[in-house]
Amino acid sequence: MNIETLPWQKTLIIIPTFNEIDNIERMIDTIFTKYPSVSLLIIEDGSPDGTADVVKRKMETNDQLHIIERTGKLGLGTAYITGFKWALENGYDFVFEMDCDFSHDPDSVKDLLAAAQENDLVIGSRYIDGIRIINWPFRRLLLSYCASIYTRFVTGIPVLDTTGGFKCFTRKALETLNLNKIISSGYIFQLELNYKVWDAGLKVKEVPIIFYERRDGQSKMGGGIIFEALFNVLKLRVLKVFGRLNA
């Protein structure tokens, strides 16, 4: 599909930020250089390093760049829920999740958006066509890969990369979700969205990407992720059994 024919004016990229002063300006410039007609929403959680100031300065000359400022580090899941609601209220048809640290290659945005023309949720997959992760320590790679195996086993979802955070939702997929009833706040939040979209009978597709470990700034991976993953995956399965997954 020709990149120029894709519906960029109906597309929103959501990027949560906390202390991304090393990356934010370069990411904004990269996205708008590659995709001049796209819209970009920054969900900024009160970074003390001046991330918000950079965004607001760039907004002075770009009306497709937006920011929602929140007080304190409120979590990845709530950041995306805030962004999804804003996207629906403002009429976007295709909505991306994307990291600010360039672990998600902006070049792949066009590939996910092209696939979203025929699918409801497109996941940038680190594990389709082999393991596609650059510069991760073996321990972290093993943990991530085993987590995907565990979540597939418990939920039955036919997705190789269940917890990846680079994806594109159609408006139809977001409207299917009850955004006020999302139970996860950390990285297992990604599985919950995938599982609920798939369980609703919508079309989910994985597109291969290369995932790069961040070069600048600090990782936001917290210590409670493993516990949340073990508990919430089981909880999602129980909700599914009792018919309350999207209730």
Side-chain angles (χ1 to χ4, degrees), residues 50-68:
T51 298
D53 294 333
V54 174
V55 177
K56 287 185 279 191
R57 173 171 55 82
K58 303 288 284 186
M59 288 172 62
E60 293 175 0
T61 56
N62 189 339
D63 60 8
Q64 293 156 228
L65 176 61
H66 311 275
I67 188 170
I68 294 176

Side-chain angles (χ1 to χ4, degrees), residues 183-185 188 227-237:
I183 65 173
S184 307
S185 59
I188 206 64
F227 175 79
E228 183 195 32
L230 292 172
F231 178 77
N232 278 0
V233 170
L234 291 172
K235 185 174 180 180
L236 288 169
R237 182 60 181 167

Side-chain angles (χ1 to χ4, degrees), residues 120-139:
D120 301 298
L121 168 59
V122 179
I123 300 168
S125 179
R126 300 166 293 180
Y127 300 127
I128 196 169
D129 297 338
I131 297 175
R132 307 169 66 85
I133 298 176
I134 306 298
N135 292 333
W136 260 16
F138 178 75
R139 180 176 176 274

Side-chain angles (χ1 to χ4, degrees), residues 4-107:
E4 285 80 13
T5 65
L6 292 172
W8 294 108
Q9 293 181 329
K10 288 291 187 176
T11 300
L12 176 71
I13 299 173
I14 301 172
I15 298 182
T17 57
F18 182 77
N19 284 347
E20 290 289 359
I21 195 68
D22 294 326
N23 297 304
I24 187 61
E25 184 164 19
R26 184 163 62 99
M27 177 56 80
I28 292 171
D29 290 344
T30 299
I31 287 175
F32 285 115
T33 297
K34 293 180 179 296
Y35 314 113
S37 299
V38 79
S39 293
L40 176 60
L41 173 64
I42 306 298
I43 309 293
E44 166 45 35
D45 271 6
S47 302
D49 68 352
T51 298
D53 294 333
V54 174
V55 177
K56 287 185 279 191
R57 173 171 55 82
K58 303 288 284 186
M59 288 172 62
E60 293 175 0
T61 56
N62 189 339
D63 60 8
Q64 293 156 228
L65 176 61
H66 311 275
I67 188 170
I68 294 176
E69 294 184 81
R70 309 194 303 171
T71 303
K73 193 175 180 182
L74 302 178
L76 185 74
T78 63
Y80 278 126
I81 294 301
T82 297
F84 293 157
K85 290 179 178 179
W86 189 92
L88 293 174
E89 290 168 1
N90 286 275
Y92 291 96
D93 291 335
F94 302 92
V95 182
F96 277 80
E97 293 183 11
M98 189 173 176
D99 288 348
C100 190
D101 58 14
F102 286 88
S103 55
H104 300 150
D105 187 349
D107 277 342

Side-chain angles (χ1 to χ4, degrees), residues 120-224:
D120 301 298
L121 168 59
V122 179
I123 300 168
S125 179
R126 300 166 293 180
Y127 300 127
I128 196 169
D129 297 338
I131 297 175
R132 307 169 66 85
I133 298 176
I134 306 298
N135 292 333
W136 260 16
F138 178 75
R139 180 176 176 274
R140 186 175 178 189
L141 176 60
L142 183 63
L143 179 63
S144 174
Y145 193 71
C146 289
S148 286
I149 293 173
Y150 166 72
T151 54
R152 292 199 306 273
F153 174 76
V154 173
T155 64
I157 187 172
V159 170
L160 289 177
D161 192 350
T162 57
T163 59
F166 187 17
K167 57 185 68 173
C168 179
F169 294 86
T170 62
R171 184 178 189 89
K172 178 181 177 181
L174 290 181
E175 289 178 336
T176 298
L177 298 169
N178 186 340
L179 295 176
N180 295 318
K181 294 291 184 178
I182 303 298
I183 65 173
S184 307
S185 59
Y187 282 76
I188 206 64
F189 166 84
Q190 305 295 357
L191 165 71
E192 180 174 353
L193 298 186
N194 298 344
Y195 186 43
K196 289 180 173 179
V197 170
W198 171 72
D199 183 70
L202 302 186
K203 295 176 66 176
V204 179
K205 181 178 176 61
E206 289 183 273
V207 170
I209 62 165
I210 296 177
F211 181 92
Y212 301 88
E213 174 67 312
R214 69 157 55 232
R215 292 176 296 176
D216 299 306
Q218 296 180 346
S219 173
K220 299 171 181 61
M221 185 76 73

